[in-house]
Every structure is written in C-alpha cells, then in structure tokens.
Amino acid sequence: MKMRGKTIVEKIISSHCREGVKAGDFTVVSVDLAVTHDATGPGVIKAFEEFGKKSVWNREKIIFVFDHAAPSPNEKVSNLHVMMRKFTKEHGIKLFDVGCGVCHQVVIEKGLVLPGDIAVGTDSHTCTYGALNAFAFGIGSTEMAGVFLTGKLWLKVPETLKVILNGGLPKGVYAKDVALKMIGELGSEGADYLAIEFIGEALSQMPMSDRFVLSNMVIECGAKAGLMEADSETLCWLKGRARREFSPVRSDDNASFVDELSIDCSTLQPQVAVYHSVDNVYPISEVEGESIDQVFIGTCTNGRAEDLRVAASILAGRKISDGVRLIVCPASHDELLKAMKSGAIEVLIEAGAVLIPPGCGPCPGTHLGVPGDGEKVLSTANRNFKGRMGNNKAFIFLASPATCAASAITGKITDPRRFL
Amino acid sequence: MGEILRGRAFKLGDNINTDYIIAGKYTKTLDYAFLAEHLLEDVDPTIAKRIKRGDFLVAGKNFGCGSSREQAAIAIKYAGISAVLAKSFARIFFRNAINLGLPALVCDTDLVDEGDELELDIETLSLKNLSKSIPIPVVPLNKIMVNILREGGLVPYLKKHGDYVF
Ligand code: SF4
C-alpha cells in the first residue's frame, strides 16, 4: 500500500514534536511564538505566578500587546496595564504598548511569525497567521501560562478541509465577501476542530492583506487554523520582515482531506452577515436599504492600509450621511502611517470619519464607539454576536470595507458597486 | 480525587457563545467571583443567582463558540458548576475547561431535562441522571485530558510534573 501523504498542518506539527503524527493523534508540541494581549494577559500572569517560577521558558518568543482597551478607558484597566508592564519588564519580555495596534497585525508586520512555525495566542483570531503558512491558533490563559513555563502544549492533530476559491473576484467584491460566503455555507460549527487549507485561482491573485482576512475568519466556522501555501506573493511580503530562516510547507499531492468546499468567486456578490451570528449571511441584494447608525472600519480583519484605501476611494469627494457616525481604526501604527502617506486618512476625515487610535477600537465592546440601545452598526469586524460591541441591545452587521464606506454615504446598507 | 459530584441541571440551547457566557465588557478583571455573578447574563439574567454549588450546565451543540476568552470557563467554574455537558463543544472552550479542571463532557443532553438531578463520578467520568434513573454514556476523553482533570487542572498538573508527561 502506498503511504498516504501529509497535509500542511500534519507536517508542521510533525516537525514540532517527537514523532511523526497524522490527523487524530494527540501530541505535545513546542511553539515558536506566544502572543498575549491586555484582555487575557492578566489571567496568564496570574496562572503563571502560581507555578512559583522566576523565569519564563524563552523571553524572546513571548510578546504582549496592549490593544483591547488601549489607551485605557478606566482605572481598573489602567491598573491591569501597570501590572502587565511590570511583569514584562521583570521578565525581559517585549511589550507593544498602547497605540502599536491589534496584536495580530503587530505580529505579522514585525515578521514575528514565519512559514512552518507554530504560534499560539490568547486570542481566537490568532488563526490570522495561517495566511503566512504557519500553524497558528488561539488558546486560553491557563494554557498560555503552561506555554510560558514549558514552551509546549498538548493538542490533537486536526483533519483538513480544503476550500477551493475558483475564478477571479469581480470588481467591488473582496476577500471579506469570500470569507462571509464560506462561513454562511459551512455554518458556525461547520469546521469545528478542523484546519482549513485555502487554494485556488482567486487566492493566488490576492495580495497578503486580503489573504489575512480569510485566515482571520476561519474561527467563525469553528476551524482551528486557516492555512495557505507560501507562494511568491508570501515570500515577497516577507522580504525585509523575516529575520530568521524558515521553510515553507506544502501538502503532499496524496494528502488526505476530510472534505472540500468550492466557492465560485467570479459570480460572488458583496455579502453581509446579519446580527447576531456570523453565519447568518446574505447577498447584499437581500439586505440593501437597511438603515444604520454607526459604521466601523477597522480590526484585525479589515483595518489595514489597503482596506482604508478601498474605503477612501469610495468616500473621496463625498460626505457621510447625516445621522451616521463613521469610526475608522487603523489596525496598527504602521498601517496608520501607510494610510496617512497614501492620503487615505485625509480623504476619510474630510468625508466625516472619526479617527481613533490603532488597536481593537470598539470591536470588543470596551470603549471608543459602544452603540446605544436599538442602534444598528455596520462593521468590518469578524463578529456580530449579541453584546459584542458592549451593548446587548444593539444590532451588528458585518461587511467589507467597501460596503461599509458606501453605506456610510447613504446611511443605509448599500452595494458598493454603485460607487465604483 | 475520587469525587462524586451531584447537582441540578440547567438546560441551555445550541451555539451558546463565549460572549453570552460572559460579556466582553466584564472581562477586564481578575476578580473571578465578579465574573461568576454575570454568568450567562445575556441569555438569562437570573441564572447566576439561581445556580447552586454542584449544579450542571447542560447544553446543545457547539457550546462555548466564539472568542478564546478563558473568562467564560472561569465564570462557570467560579459559579460553582461541577461540569458542563453538551452535544458538542467549540474547541477552545473545551480545552480551557479541561485546563481549569472543569469537566466538559460530550453526551446526548436530550437525556436530561431542566432541573433533573445528575451525578458525576470524576474518577471514572461516569454520569447518571438520578431523576430519570438512567446512566448517560459520555464520550471518553483522551489520556492527556483525563490526567489534567484528575490533577484539578493544568496549573496543578504542571506544578506537580514540571512538564507534560505521558
Ligand atoms: S480587533 Fe476585534 S477581533 Fe481582532 S483581536 Fe481585537 S477584539 Fe479581537
């Protein structure tokens, strides 16, 4: 019998544990990067301190990022920030303080995660780094404390679902629309425990900024990771960022996948996820005209300079509708600078946008744009659960930056293709 | 531990996400009793007050989907819940629960009604519905998870062993 080949995730895990593994096996792996932020970091420290150990396993491989409530909205958060600053200083761990940006954007743009790596973060959207051919996933604070101590964690090797993106994307349709379509098809638990591997024509045409959107959102259908091969686009993007050696990983031709999902991108319309679940997805034609009170462009999903540029191209020379608030939150300090240099920020502010500091902004519901009772928000984020933005009486729709920009102009959910 | 846990069932539906278990706005704290007070508030504002030490949460499919916030499992544990039973769990929640020493068990929760008296033997992970006098078969956990649960969670486990041993 011929040996069955391995998927990307089986290969990466095999290279990080003692034995060769295949899907379904339980094993203990070493990690290359451990990421923590201000919302989950205090719990990590609390659990780590219970070990009574003076030092972490490897301070070079751990980072803290203040993004969820940064700058701090109240003294309670400020005191947690103080505690984390003290811990990172004592242990010589790198801290990206307020204003640096969302942890996931910081990690990728600083070249901290590379193809073939295993990265973990105390945040479910750690899966974003899968676009860089790394096996990356979210874990809890206690588990992270174990990583701080040992540099390792246990896991079950996931099976892989292949998602094939056929055809090219039409004008006005973006990676976000593909991600929403996929989640709508699979459902919020459709890929539970699985790794997703993306391939296809539409993918190979996408710049990295779009690929991160796809990997970022795989958790919304339950997947553990959203992986891609490292192609010339990936390698080019990593140039100047990667400061250590790395080896890209591909699935073998005879690797086995649990299932396949094909999406025809060439016929795709802009998509909208309607409150209160991300898999409640409709083509824009079915929700157009729904009035909105606040538009939010930002987050680890769609807060990159490219996203702001798309929004600016629609809002250029136009004004947002009376009665609508447009909040813009660049994903990081570097993305903010890029968007400033390209002129996108100026265009957005001229159109009536409020610019808030790089970080998570109102996405996790802590500050900077919590909606009021009964208000409707259209957002580029990745989650629209009840209460997500800090008010369980608000309603959240999710869409691409283009759809958000177009809708800010009209005050209603609007097909961005009307403005292209 | 060899402990027998007994309590009443609080039934929940499918897809109870981590934002429902504990709203993000409450998570910026290390006061775990405070988290417990707000457990499942957006699903049922009275549930936290009604739960007594030892009670069980009994859910449908995909319990704990959404964010990686461990505060969700912490809030449940500190509310005094002895175990969470569900038809299936979202991956991160499942791990968090085990790592905190909170049994998360997959079983057919249609065999349990609201208020039923349940009994769980932590050592053997055998589960009974006392009100209906029936055993409830539980999907066995992997050896690593059983070991972590037996020690009361990952912190006591690593404190004892210093590393993963299996
Ligand atoms: S931007 Fe939103 S989804 Fe991304 S890490 Fe921050 S809170 Fe989470």
Side-chain angles (χ1 to χ4, degrees):
Chain A
M1 204 177 79
K2 242 182 88 203
M3 279 275 285
R4 145 169 118 72
K6 286 190 158 142
T7 60
I8 295 178
V9 73
E10 288 173 317
K11 286 187 183 178
I12 295 180
I13 296 175
S14 294
S15 69
H16 285 75
C17 65
R18 280 179 308 199
E19 63 281 321
V21 289
K22 56 181 184 337
D25 291 346
F26 279 80
T27 188
V28 171
V29 294
S30 57
V31 310
D32 301 297
L33 179 72
V35 182
T36 294
H37 58 57
D38 55 343
T40 46
V44 180
I45 295 173
K46 187 170 161 148
F48 180 75
E49 288 180 340
E50 284 182 47
F51 294 132
K53 278 277 156 42
K54 292 242 154 13
S55 56
V56 295
W57 118 92
N58 184 341
R59 63 183 184 84
E60 308 279 336
K61 294 187 175 180
I62 300 175
I63 64 158
F64 273 68
V65 183
F66 289 179
D67 55 2
H68 276 56
S72 165
N74 60 48
E75 77 273 23
K76 219 153 119 186
V77 171
S78 307
N79 291 336
L80 292 173
H81 282 180
V82 168
M83 169 232 193
M84 288 183 276
R85 287 194 189 100
K86 185 164 161 270
F87 179 86
T88 51
K89 198 158 173 218
E90 270 170 23
H91 288 272
I93 293 167
K94 174 81 183 154
L95 164 70
F96 293 90
D97 213 312
V98 302
C100 287
V102 186
C103 56
H104 307 309
Q105 181 61 25
V106 170
V107 164
I108 57 180
E109 74 190 15
K110 303 289 180 210
L112 301 178
V113 66
L114 299 176
D117 280 357
I118 291 186
V120 290
T122 47
D123 188 281
S124 57
H125 295 104
T126 303
C127 51
T128 310
Y129 327 149
L132 287 170
N133 191 234
F135 176 43
F137 54 97
I139 61 174
S141 298
T142 300
E143 181 133 59
M144 185 58 94
V147 172
F148 278 22
L149 181 75
T150 64
K152 290 180 251 181
L153 82 167
W154 63 271
L155 55 79
K156 182 177 174 188
V157 183
E159 297 194 281
T160 301
L161 165 72
K162 196 188 271 187
V163 174
I164 308 161
L165 308 179
N166 291 317
L169 284 173
K171 218 172 169 213
V173 183
Y174 301 86
K176 179 60 161 284
D177 302 303
V178 178
L180 290 174
K181 176 75 183 168
M182 171 186 79
I183 294 157
E185 295 276 323
L186 290 171
S188 68
E189 54 171 349
D192 245 4
Y193 300 99
L194 304 178
I196 285 177
E197 183 177 331
F198 292 98
I199 61 158
E201 192 187 339
L203 182 72
S204 47
Q205 292 168 0
M206 281 182 195
M208 284 314 299
S209 56
D210 281 348
R211 298 183 188 186
F212 290 125
V213 177
L214 294 175
S215 291
N216 176 271
M217 292 201 65
V218 298
I219 179 74
E220 308 311 331
C221 45
K224 179 164 189 151
L227 296 129
M228 299 173 188
E229 275 182 21
D231 63 6
S232 55
E233 165 71 15
T234 324
L235 299 179
C236 174
W237 192 89
L238 284 166
K239 218 168 261 158
R241 288 194 165 93
R243 269 162 290 124
R244 53 188 163 89
E245 297 285 303
F246 59 89
S247 28
V249 180
R250 315 182 51 241
S251 289
D252 292 327
D253 295 335
N254 59 343
S256 76
F257 294 87
V258 276
D259 210 348
E260 272 183 22
L261 171 73
S262 294
I263 295 176
D264 179 6
C265 294
S266 64
T267 58
L268 201 64
Q269 286 195 46
Q271 306 282 311
V272 178
V274 174
Y275 58 87
H276 298 290
S277 86
V278 189
D279 59 358
N280 191 21
V281 176
Y282 296 88
I284 192 143
S285 52
E286 290 181 37
V287 277
E288 232 190 346
E290 181 86 45
S291 71
I292 44 173
D293 303 289
Q294 177 170 308
V295 177
F296 171 42
I297 301 179
T299 77
C300 56
T301 316
N302 276 126
R304 282 172 267 278
E306 291 83 351
D307 300 313
L308 303 185
R309 204 157 49 222
V310 167
S313 71
I314 290 173
L315 281 156
R318 297 192 169 100
K319 292 268 184 252
I320 62 170
S321 164
D322 269 353
V324 168
R325 311 176 295 273
L326 171 59
I327 296 176
V328 173
C329 181
S332 73
H333 164 269
D334 290 10
E335 294 300 293
L336 168 58
L337 277 177
K338 266 201 268 172
M340 281 174 72
K341 287 181 187 146
S342 76
I345 294 290
E346 195 177 332
V347 169
L348 293 171
I349 292 179
E350 272 174 356
V354 182
L355 183 68
I356 61 170
C360 298
C363 176
T366 337
H367 61 350
L368 296 168
V370 176
D373 291 359
E375 284 199 316
K376 292 186 189 144
V377 180
L378 179 67
S379 160
T380 64
N382 45 38
R383 265 185 201 145
N384 61 353
F385 301 157
K386 203 175 176 190
R388 172 71 191 180
M389 294 179 79
N391 185 342
N392 60 15
K393 296 185 195 73
F395 302 89
I396 307 169
F397 298 87
L398 306 176
S400 73
T403 302
C404 285
S407 306
I409 297 168
T410 60
K412 297 179 177 76
I413 293 180
T414 301
D415 190 330
R417 293 172 297 187
R418 298 183 194 284
F419 291 95
L420 291 173
Chain B
M1 284 200 289
E3 220 186 316
I4 307 276
L5 305 168
R6 251 185 227 113
R8 293 165 309 154
F10 282 84
K11 286 274 289 197
L12 302 163
D14 292 339
N15 297 313
I16 298 290
N17 64 54
T18 48
D19 280 80
Y20 289 172
I21 299 171
I22 184 78
K25 63 184 171 192
Y26 295 130
T27 56
K28 317 291 176 299
T29 180
L30 284 172
D31 178 354
Y32 293 164
F34 170 81
L35 294 177
E37 283 167 29
H38 294 283
L39 178 67
L40 290 162
E41 192 174 87
D42 287 343
V43 175
D44 176 352
T46 69
I47 198 167
K49 285 202 187 59
R50 293 188 286 124
I51 288 172
K52 292 211 188 63
R53 184 151 293 279
D55 286 345
F56 290 73
L57 288 183
V58 182
K61 288 185 300 180
N62 204 24
F63 184 84
C65 54
S67 98
S68 69
R69 70 178 62 135
E70 191 169 276
Q71 286 95 333
I74 290 174
I76 294 173
K77 185 176 163 154
Y78 280 76
I81 292 290
S82 52
V84 187
L85 314 176
K87 287 183 185 159
S88 65
F89 289 95
R91 192 188 59 76
I92 304 178
F93 176 87
F94 185 62
R95 298 178 66 91
N96 287 344
I98 303 289
N99 284 329
L100 283 168
L102 171 71
L105 302 172
V106 175
C107 58
D108 180 2
T109 51
D110 289 341
L111 298 174
V112 181
D113 288 320
E114 176 80 14
D116 278 359
E117 206 53 39
L118 305 177
E119 182 184 278
L120 174 70
D121 182 334
I122 276 285
E123 189 64 29
T124 59
L125 291 180
S126 57
L127 178 68
K128 273 187 241 157
N129 184 334
L130 301 176
S131 303
K132 298 194 175 12
S133 310
I134 47 166
I136 302 175
V138 167
V139 176
L141 296 174
N142 171 268
K143 195 172 70 199
I144 303 177
M145 292 185 268
V146 171
N147 288 339
I148 291 172
L149 263 186
R150 285 218 180 109
E151 304 284 357
L154 187 66
V155 169
Y157 174 91
L158 285 177
K159 243 172 139 166
K160 180 162 161 191
H161 301 284
D163 202 343
Y164 292 89
V165 284
F166 74 98

